């Protein structure tokens, strides 16, 4: 089961010039369509005098949610080449937006495709690419005498402890990468008195 995906650590920016047209490309980490839209709106405000703000995004560890937009450029000359760069770098949870200032010389369809592709590639080149794991959370309660049993499982599988409290009834919330989640749950199920309170 694949539970690792590649994304970018922070926003990066690159500028590409072709026949006096200027392409300002941003690669921005995002996790939802709403966040992507907010970032695009910000760029439209900042570059209010630009002719086009073309973009593409890819979301989710499965890389199945994506959109692209030519923003008035000829169909398929901007959004698709930008999305192509996201795909060829196998990235997700990323928005790439390219602001274009027209330089007076028409680039033609193939020229536009190359320019948007190169601008997107340069923005990715400026970004720090990182790997993240798909994580699952689990919460449960158990009686204090079974603390050692729980802590042995935690020590063996090394989940992140998000919350813990130890009273007569102990509660704990853990986060672990998806590939290990079933093993964690199966081992916890065997602990006497343990009850799952919720699973995300």
């Amino acid at each position: 089961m694949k539970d690792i995906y590649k994304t970018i650590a922070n926003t990066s920016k690159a500028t590409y010039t072709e026949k006096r047209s200027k392409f300002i490309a941003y690669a921005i980490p995002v996790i939802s369509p709403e966040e992507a839209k907010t970032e695009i709106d910000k760029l439209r405000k900042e570059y209010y005098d630009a002719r086009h703000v073309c973009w593409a995004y890819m979301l989710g560890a499965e890389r199945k949610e994506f959109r692209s937009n030519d923003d008035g450029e000829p169909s398929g000359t901007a959004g698709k080449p930008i999305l192509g760069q996201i795909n060829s770098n196998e990235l997700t949870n990323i928005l790439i937006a390219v602001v274009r200032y027209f330089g007076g010389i028409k680039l033609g369809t193939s020229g536009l495709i190359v320019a948007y592709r190169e601008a997107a590639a340069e923005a990715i080149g400026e970004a720090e690419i990182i790997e993240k794991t798909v994580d699952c959370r689990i919460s449960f309660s158990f009686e204090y005498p079974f603390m050692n049993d729980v802590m042995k499982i935690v020590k063996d599988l090394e989940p992140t402890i998000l919350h813990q409290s130890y009273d007569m009834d102990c509660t704990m919330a853990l986060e672990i990468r998806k590939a290990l989640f079933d093993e964690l749950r199966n081992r916890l199920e065997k602990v006497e008195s343990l009850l799952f309170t919720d699973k995300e």
Side-chain angles (χ1 to χ4, degrees):
M1 180 191 337
K2 196 169 180 216
D3 67 347
I4 294 177
Y5 61 91
K6 288 199 295 185
T7 187
I8 55 172
N10 38 39
T11 298
S12 62
K13 179 183 175 185
T15 305
Y16 180 80
T17 309
E18 180 66 34
K19 291 183 181 166
R20 297 210 299 266
S21 269
K22 191 174 173 188
F23 297 83
I24 305 161
Y26 285 86
I28 304 167
V30 293
I31 56 167
S32 68
E34 295 74 28
E35 203 180 339
K37 184 182 181 305
T38 300
E39 293 296 339
I40 294 159
D41 290 345
K42 271 195 227 165
L43 290 173
R44 284 195 203 287
K45 281 199 186 94
E46 186 178 343
Y47 296 98
Y48 62 90
D49 55 342
R51 188 169 279 203
H52 306 281
V53 180
C54 306
W55 52 266
Y57 65 68
M58 175 82 67
L59 299 172
E62 308 273 306
R63 303 181 68 246
K64 286 181 178 160
E65 190 178 353
F66 54 87
R67 271 192 71 192
S68 62
N69 190 304
D70 295 314
D71 192 36
E73 292 282 30
S75 179
T77 59
K80 272 197 181 144
I82 295 169
L83 188 61
Q85 285 303 308
I86 294 173
N87 269 323
S88 62
N89 286 278
E90 298 180 345
L91 295 169
T92 191
N93 290 355
I94 182 173
L95 161 73
I96 296 183
V98 181
V99 179
R100 181 189 180 197
Y101 284 96
F102 183 54
I105 301 167
K106 286 192 184 296
L107 301 182
T109 305
S110 59
L112 284 171
I113 290 169
V114 169
Y116 279 104
R117 187 179 68 214
E118 287 305 310
E122 288 190 18
I124 292 169
E126 291 294 322
E128 181 193 347
I129 292 174
I130 53 170
E131 282 195 343
K132 286 191 169 183
T133 55
V134 181
D135 297 324
C136 299
R137 293 181 178 190
I138 193 163
S139 305
F140 51 91
S141 63
F142 56 94
E143 290 170 11
Y144 193 82
F146 303 101
M147 167 73 72
N148 285 347
D149 299 349
V150 171
M151 292 318 288
K152 179 171 181 355
I153 297 167
V154 169
K155 187 169 176 284
D156 288 351
L157 296 178
E158 298 182 334
T160 303
I161 298 172
L162 302 173
H163 157 81
Q164 54 188 345
S165 76
Y166 306 125
D167 288 313
M168 280 308 290
D169 264 349
C170 306
T171 60
M172 194 176 270
L174 304 175
E175 186 172 72
I176 195 163
R177 60 186 289 180
K178 194 174 177 182
L180 295 171
F181 181 78
D182 287 345
E183 186 185 348
L184 175 66
R185 189 179 172 92
N186 291 341
R187 286 186 63 181
L188 287 169
E189 274 175 351
K190 296 185 176 86
V191 175
E192 260 185 85
S193 84
L194 189 141
L195 293 169
F196 294 110
T197 47
D198 74 320
K199 173 189 159 235
E200 289 170 38

